[in-house]
Amino acid sequence: MKKIKKTGLVFFPAFDWAISPTHPEREERLLYTQDQVFEEGLLDFENIIEYKPGLATYEDINRIHISVPDAEKVTTQSHLISAGGAITAAEKVMEKNVDNAFALVRPPGHHAMRVVHGARGFCNINIEAIMIEYIRRKYGPKRIAVVDTDCHHGDGTEDIFWHDPHTLYISVHQDGRTLYPGTGFPREFGGPNAYGCNINIPLPPGTSEEGFLFTLDNVILPILKDYNPDIIINSAGQDNHYTDPITNMNFTAQGYAILSERLSPHIAVLEGGYSVETALPYINVGIILAMAGLDYSQVREPDYDPALIKQKPETTKYIEELASALMKKWESRNDEKNKLPRSGQFESRTKSIYYDTDNIHEEQTESVRLCNDCSGLVTVDSRATTGNRIFAVIVPGQSCPVCRKRGEEIFASKSKSLYDYIYFQDRDCDVYECRKR
Amino acid sequence: MILGIDVGGTHTDAVLIDGNRVVEKVKVVTDRIDLSRSLLKVTDKALHETNPEDLERVVLSTTISTNAIVQNLTSPVGMILASGPGLSPSALRINENCHFVSGYVNHRGIPVAPIDKGTVQKTGMLFKTSGIDHIGIVGKFSCRNPDIETDIEDALGFTFSHCSLGHRMSGNLNFPRRIATTYLNASISDIYGDFITMVTAFAGRFKASFPIFILKADGGTFEINQSARYPVQTILSGPAASIMGILSLAEFTTDAVALDIGGTTTDIAIFADGSPLLEPLGVTIAGHKTLIRGLRTRSIGIGGDSAAEFVNGEYIIGPERKGPAAAFGGPCPTPTDAMVVLGLTEIGDKEKALAAIGTIAQKAGHTAGKAAETIFDETCRKIARAVIGMVEEVNNEPVYTIHELLEGKRIKPERLYAVGGPAEPMAPAIGSILGYSVNIPDHAEVANAVGAALARTTTELTVLADTEKMIATIVEEGLQLSISPKFSKADAIGICKEKLRERALSMGAAEEDLELEIIEEHVFNMVRGYSKVGQNIRIKGQVKPGLISRCMKSAPAR
Ligand SMILES: [Zn+2]
Ligand SMILES: [Zn+2]
């Protein structure tokens, strides 16, 4: 007998919103999911409670993003509702109204990075990141793990939490050499102050249930056990499914349900998944049943045939080797971290970012202060083909006095002549300022 | 003239309505053993000066179906379920005669696996040999393609006295509720059939002939012979009668709250722009969640006869009723006694009320006046809190479009309509807590019978069109039509209105009462790859619950 759990469901299919009429992110996306969830009568279960999404505020967005020129300009109501839906799910869990919650909302968010000049990978704002910062603001500092099971590398979430040792980001996805956004390799292991807090598990095309569950049991769950987070969040993308039109994996509805049961996230948030008719209805029913501790053994796709999606032996071998290499890297993370310099100096990286949805290029230099006492002050100098150049100072949560003071000095001293906008984001004091040219 | 009769558990009420005037009202005690005696008695009294030939129609509200279900006076039902993938069958087993068969359609109504005729036939044989004569057949997504259920019916190989098909019960999604609804419908078909025979015999005693209508849970009516196949629609018509009665006696077009304050419970209903709200999915009866269209009511365990106690420094009122109020010889103090003591009403024996309130006052260390005041306040507050809770619940109902989320209608009632024994003394106090104006309609004591008399015939209909598959489905009628790939939303609405009209007329509706409205209209482009392959159109229409047209013209005379 499974343990019955009280599960919150924030369901918002946004039946009147699309990126464009034939875009994968269109009105029809959750239509058949709604049909299946309603027909199964899931909302009549005493332990499954539906909640209406709240609306995220621009303040919620400003705690995590540097939006150019501002949060209002880079979002529509649909984004405020999907971020608001994630926040509602989190609130119901944090207030102990439910044991866990699933925000079955759209549009998704995991490709949205810290700086937002426009939309990329169907995402404008990072709804999980906004939710996480909301949790910390309202309920105090928390150790949080995000397990991203979308088929695409969540490069936005990786970017936002790159320097944050209080957030462990694990992404399992189709190898970036074969799929958008082309990142997400094991060498991306977290910034110098958060080394080992960013784990990428790139799986080869054709990975089936076997490979995903092996990775879960042999990499994700052991790492989570070591990290010991207060809260586990699942970025529950569903595009690993064998029928997804824009990816090449062989995962199943049963597989997603088993994964949800074993991972046992406090909060799950829908990300991608574009096989709207043959996959999503079954995956979502499976995830909801699994989260609620109900029997999901009869959930399967109409065309399910294990023989057709059997994993090749060489894929299995590749995944086993990858897993053992990743675990070695994880186990030696503290030794490696200790070898990094701790000088109080700044370390920089430069990035070229392409916004495919909006066709914008961005060049960015991001610097972090190497700090033994906190996550480290971050500054960003960014220029986009929109013509905007901005500078941002980010004082992290639980910051040390030195990083804070340096941040305030840098913000005060930046000349307006070079930049269109200069931002100051202070997570401890919940301050967000913007100076315009 | 119209005769409205409400056969309640305790009383049978009748009203005779001429034009829009209540010309006769009668109350008799219900004979639970032989309902026909109550019917005859109440009718004779109501018609004493009237020629039955002048009756245009008779409308009955009955508890027969509700009681059959609540008291388990039902027939055994053989259930055949085509459950497809999803929930495990163990969660769907509604009774001991539940059989699962293979075969299913998907969410678009596309057949995925055929039924296994051999198994169905064997199941039919099993039912026949074990003496089961009532059958329920339900397929997952049968409201998207009824073939799954008719195929099973055809394959049964035997004739049974009753067979209910799931898709005929409702066009709405929800497989477990469809199972429960179908099961209940089949299980009460015999007892309800007896009721029809009895009513027909009763009507036969009059020299005149007049149509007989039965009230449904949604506050609408249907012609008695039409009700025979769907007896389950008649459950919970008692509360529906009261709500429609309030609507007909008060006549309003605003957001409002209606209260039926009884001895043990108080029923709350909400009106949006003068229309009573329906349950979003269906009503719940005896623990069964169903797809039966029904008025949205909440019943709370507090009324004039609720027991009042003083426990741990607090006055606790209800939910228990230990008997009538002390003023009427009951065993303990009640809100009614408090009202008697406060002089808000002059019923019963004031001395007995004072004595009962005196004992609780002593326990609390208060004067009798203070105790009575506190009991009365707390009773009104409890009801007011429940009203606020219900309005909030309605306003927090999930919606699925950005437009509805940001701009959807929010109910803001400003008026309270109250009926029931304690309504007169209590409603003003409840209204003042809520900040609503208060109205107690005339003839409130027979509101239920008036509601039954004046309710119009209602029904709903779902039309689904899939232009890729070139099929339109008229769900509740079990019809599928071929359509062209150019079939549009306007076409679907046209068909919906036409079929809805036919359906309502066949159920007994009058032409002038066909207030048709489209309550859901969705069109989705179906895109595969990066191109549009068709449209998925979903239309739902209804005859709006309301009153027959002539009552809309002016309020009943005082
Ligand atoms: Zn994705
Ligand atoms: Zn620091």
Side-chain angles (χ1 to χ4, degrees), chain A residues 381-402:
Chain A
D381 188 329
S382 152
R383 187 201 302 263
T385 48
T386 52
N388 282 321
R389 182 168 182 197
I390 64 113
F391 190 85
V393 176
I394 295 109
V395 178
Q398 300 174 262
S399 57
C400 72
V402 183

Side-chain angles (χ1 to χ4, degrees), chain A residues 221-239:
Chain A
L221 294 180
I223 290 178
L224 282 176
K225 190 157 180 269
D226 288 348
Y227 188 80
N228 192 24
D230 301 314
I231 301 168
I232 298 174
I233 293 161
N234 181 203
S235 289
Q238 308 179 348
D239 36 11

Side-chain angles (χ1 to χ4, degrees), chain A residues 110-111 150-152 239 272 274:
Chain A
H110 76 152
H111 296 303
D150 189 278
C151 191
H152 301 90
D239 36 11
Y274 301 98

Side-chain angles (χ1 to χ4, degrees), chain A residues 369 371-377 399-404:
Chain A
R369 182 175 179 271
C371 184
N372 285 325
D373 304 315
C374 76
S375 312
L377 175 70
S399 57
C400 72
V402 183
C403 284
R404 157 170 307 284

Side-chain angles (χ1 to χ4, degrees), chain B residues 128-139:
Chain B
K128 209 68 199 174
T129 52
S130 46
I132 291 173
D133 211 18
H134 298 78
I135 305 296
I137 299 173
V138 191

Side-chain angles (χ1 to χ4, degrees), chain A residues 11-17 21-24 26-28 31-32 34-36 38-46 50-55 77-78 81 122 245-246 276-278 281-282 285 289 294-303, chain B residues 83-91 104 106-108 110 112 139-144 172-178 281 289 395-406 410 468 522-532 536 538:
Chain A
F11 181 54
F12 195 75
F15 283 144
D16 50 354
W17 184 83
T22 57
H23 194 279
R26 65 180 178 275
E27 296 89 341
E28 189 192 6
L31 179 63
Y32 312 107
Q34 185 200 53
D35 287 347
Q36 199 77 33
F38 282 12
E39 177 69 353
E40 300 292 355
L42 297 188
L43 300 173
D44 280 336
F45 279 89
E46 299 284 316
E50 186 178 15
Y51 296 103
K52 199 173 181 172
L55 256 77
Q77 295 295 346
S78 67
I81 299 170
F122 318 163
I246 62 176
V276 303
E277 190 178 332
T278 47
Y282 310 99
V285 167
L289 288 175
L294 299 167
D295 182 356
Y296 56 79
S297 61
Q298 304 301 308
V299 175
R300 63 173 187 281
E301 304 80 350
D303 61 354
Chain B
S83 64
L87 274 191
S88 134
S90 61
Y104 70 101
N106 73 4
H107 40 72
R108 267 177 77 188
I110 300 171
V112 178
K140 189 171 282 180
F141 284 116
S142 65
C143 57
R144 291 287 156 85
N172 290 339
L173 294 169
N174 197 313
F175 187 51
R177 282 180 185 251
R178 193 175 312 117
L281 286 173
K289 290 177 175 170
N395 283 332
N396 282 325
E397 201 87 317
V399 293
Y400 303 114
T401 60
I402 295 167
H403 178 79
E404 287 171 288
L405 188 75
L406 301 177
R410 290 184 67 79
E468 189 195 10
H522 296 293
V523 179
F524 295 92
N525 286 333
M526 295 188 287
V527 176
R528 298 299 171 263
Y530 275 84
S531 53
K532 182 176 149 185
N536 193 310
R538 300 167 173 199

